[in-house]
């Protein structure tokens, strides 16, 4: 499971002109899932993301986590995080999990991070053509991969 985490001042998702998700200060989480992902991957990634100290304290030092500031989160599924660009000019997405596998894992991830944060987590819509708008704060962008936790 891969995630691109962006610290944002605001972020939103629009589908076919309708605003479906909107957050203020917090994290935009782009989430890519492979068939081999399990509950262990969800546990590890939720813990890392919710406790990652990438939010400024009063001294402008990245020393606070999403939990510390009671920040908001927006989770957007993004199979393209598992693109392979080794051959040719057209990326291959063969590593990305198919919807029948990815959707339950995505939903479990959202449910678990909601539980950890004790608040509703905003989401995009799995498989939809989404327009994601954000104001990256910093900018701060972190890439996490549950298969590279050692």
């Amino acid at each position: 499971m891969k995630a691109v985490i962006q610290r944002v001042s605001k972020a939103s998702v629009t589908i076919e002109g309708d605003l479906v998700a909107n957050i203020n200060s917090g994290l935009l989480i782009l989430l890519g899932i492979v068939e081999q992902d399990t509950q262990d991957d969800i546990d590890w990634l939720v813990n890392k993301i919710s406790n990652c100290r990438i939010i400024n304290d009063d001294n402008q030092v990245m020393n606070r986590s999403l939990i510390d500031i009671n920040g908001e989160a927006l989770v957007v599924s993004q199979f393209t995080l598992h693109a392979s660009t080794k051959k040719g000019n057209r990326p291959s997405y063969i590593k990305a999990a198919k919807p029948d596998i990815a959707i339950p894992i995505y939903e479990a991830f959202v449910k678990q991070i909601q539980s950890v944060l004790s608040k509703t987590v905003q989401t995009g819509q799995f498989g939809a053509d989404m327009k994601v708008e954000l104001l990256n704060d910093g900018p701060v962008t972190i890439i996490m991969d549950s298969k590279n936790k050692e």
Side-chain angles (χ1 to χ4, degrees), residues 4-8 26-29 48-57 60-66 68-69 136-144:
V4 173
I5 298 101
Q6 295 181 296
R7 185 177 77 184
V8 297
L27 299 179
L28 169 63
I29 304 163
K48 277 301 218 188
I49 292 170
S50 58
N51 289 292
C52 190
R53 298 184 325 172
I54 59 173
I55 298 167
N56 290 349
D57 63 16
Q60 299 307 303
V61 175
M62 286 193 283
N63 204 25
R64 291 189 178 148
S65 70
L66 194 58
D68 294 335
I69 68 158
N136 194 319
D137 181 14
V140 175
T141 302
I142 307 289
I143 301 170
M144 294 182 186

Side-chain angles (χ1 to χ4, degrees), residues 1-137:
M1 187 175 297
K2 285 185 184 177
V4 173
I5 298 101
Q6 295 181 296
R7 185 177 77 184
V8 297
S9 298
K10 63 181 178 177
S12 63
V13 174
T14 303
I15 300 172
E16 296 180 5
D18 294 325
L19 181 67
V20 297
N22 188 29
I23 66 167
N24 290 307
S25 183
L27 299 179
L28 169 63
I29 304 163
L30 305 174
L31 188 68
I33 298 164
V34 295
E35 286 188 19
Q36 298 78 15
D37 287 331
T38 66
Q39 185 62 47
D40 288 340
D41 295 287
I42 295 169
D43 295 344
W44 184 83
L45 202 52
V46 165
N47 180 59
K48 277 301 218 188
I49 292 170
S50 58
N51 289 292
C52 190
R53 298 184 325 172
I54 59 173
I55 298 167
N56 290 349
D57 63 16
D58 294 337
N59 296 317
Q60 299 307 303
V61 175
M62 286 193 283
N63 204 25
R64 291 189 178 148
S65 70
L66 194 58
I67 291 173
D68 294 335
I69 68 158
N70 195 30
E72 297 180 275
L74 170 55
V75 181
V76 175
S77 63
Q78 188 160 4
F79 72 94
T80 60
L81 293 180
H82 290 288
S84 174
T85 57
K86 289 183 180 180
K87 294 168 107 183
N89 294 319
R90 183 177 184 172
S92 169
Y93 305 107
I94 199 162
K95 291 181 183 178
K98 303 288 184 263
D100 61 321
I101 292 172
I103 291 171
I105 293 172
Y106 172 78
E107 290 173 348
F109 177 90
V110 170
K111 184 176 180 182
Q112 188 162 328
I113 201 162
Q114 278 185 157
S115 176
V116 168
L117 297 177
S118 299
K119 65 172 25 180
T120 300
V121 170
Q122 298 290 307
T123 65
Q125 181 181 329
F126 192 95
D129 181 11
M130 296 175 274
K131 306 303 179 206
V132 179
E133 189 172 358
L134 68 132
L135 181 57
N136 194 319
D137 181 14

